[in-house]
Structures are given as structure tokens and as C-alpha cells.
Amino acid sequence: MIPKIIQGGNFSDQRGTISYVNDFKFTDIERFYIISNSEQNPIRAWQGHKLDTKNFYCLKGSFNIHFIKIDNWENPSKDLAIETVFVSESESKIVHIPAGYANAVESLEKDSKLISFSTLPLAYVVEDDIRYPSNYWKING
């Protein structure tokens, strides 16, 4: 599988606004997290997953979602291409990153919030969560 955007939309009337992503299926979702990066460290990087699929949706503010297809889990190339998708609270879309990738989430505004839906049961996370130094791949330069 390859990463993809699952597009949603917004509907507004006199009662307010509803944001939705009707094409996102919660099949296999095991848990979710809400991420708020600190102002001092606005980039949370790099988490790799051999088995877990990640789905990101911006609740507040804006983020860049960075991801890399891992070529070798023990010693990945430092020359791998970083792909980036911008998400914001005014857009309604989910960034779907399948297993086999490492990701980094970068807050672009103060108090931004991102929800992450994960497919791997919590009992298997320790075996699957592979961390790389935050500067292993250079974001923004």
C-alpha cells in the first residue's frame, strides 16, 4: 500500500459547521491519540512502524505530516525522499500512512492538535515501534 489522502468536507449553516470524512472506514482501528507538540519542540520525529497503519486528522491549527518509506529497518538510508502533506483544521481530510513507513508530525501553529488513529493492538506496539533520532532525516532543509 501507499500513503493516500482521504478527502472529506465541511457543511455550514446557521447552526454551525460539521466537518466529515465519510470515506474513512474505522475497520481495524484499535486506538487513537491526540497529539499536541510543545512550542519548544514543534516536531515529533521519527517513528517507524512495520505493522501499524497510521491515520492523521487535524483537529486544531495546522501540521505538516512527513513520511518516508523505510528501505532497511536496521540501517535505513539517510537519502530516502521525505514526502509531506499539509493538514489544517479548515480542511477535512485524513492522511493514511500504511505500515512500512516512518513519520514525523510538525506543528505549524501554537496549540495545534492532531488525532492519530492506529490499527495495531496495544499489546504489539512495543515490538513494532521503531524510533530514529529526530535529525536522522532533515525536515525543512
Side-chain angles (χ1 to χ4, degrees):
M1 291 196 71
I2 60 171
K4 64 181 177 180
I5 304 298
I6 305 169
Q7 192 63 53
N10 298 299
F11 172 79
S12 297
D13 64 15
Q14 72 279 6
R15 299 169 292 175
T17 302
I18 294 174
S19 299
Y20 58 88
V21 183
N22 291 339
D23 292 331
F24 179 67
K25 306 300 179 220
F26 282 85
T27 308
D28 299 326
I29 298 298
E30 290 283 334
R31 55 197 159 68
F32 74 91
Y33 300 96
I34 296 176
I35 300 166
S36 298
N37 292 338
S38 69
E39 285 185 70
Q40 298 77 23
N41 190 16
I43 300 176
R44 183 180 301 263
W46 286 95
Q47 297 84 37
H49 302 281
K50 295 179 184 179
L51 305 172
D52 198 3
T53 295
K54 297 292 184 185
N55 297 279
F56 296 106
Y57 182 88
C58 184
L59 296 170
K60 182 178 179 187
S62 60
F63 287 84
N64 277 331
I65 310 296
H66 307 282
F67 50 94
I68 295 174
K69 174 73 171 152
I70 299 298
D71 59 347
N72 178 318
W73 289 101
E74 288 73 39
N75 187 25
S77 172
K78 291 196 174 212
D79 297 326
L80 297 174
I82 299 173
E83 297 183 64
T84 302
V85 175
F86 172 80
V87 295
S88 73
E89 67 182 290
S90 64
E91 301 175 322
S92 190
K93 65 183 177 187
I94 290 179
V95 179
H96 171 85
I97 303 175
Y101 285 77
N103 68 72
V105 295
E106 177 185 11
S107 303
L108 300 175
E109 300 174 46
K110 181 181 176 187
D111 299 324
S112 291
K113 291 187 183 301
L114 187 73
I115 191 166
S116 171
F117 298 102
S118 298
T119 60
L120 193 66
L122 194 56
Y124 300 104
V125 168
V126 173
E127 300 167 26
D128 185 58
D129 193 28
I130 299 167
R131 304 286 172 129
Y132 299 102
S134 61
N135 63 351
Y136 197 87
W137 295 282
K138 300 287 186 213
I139 297 172
N140 304 325

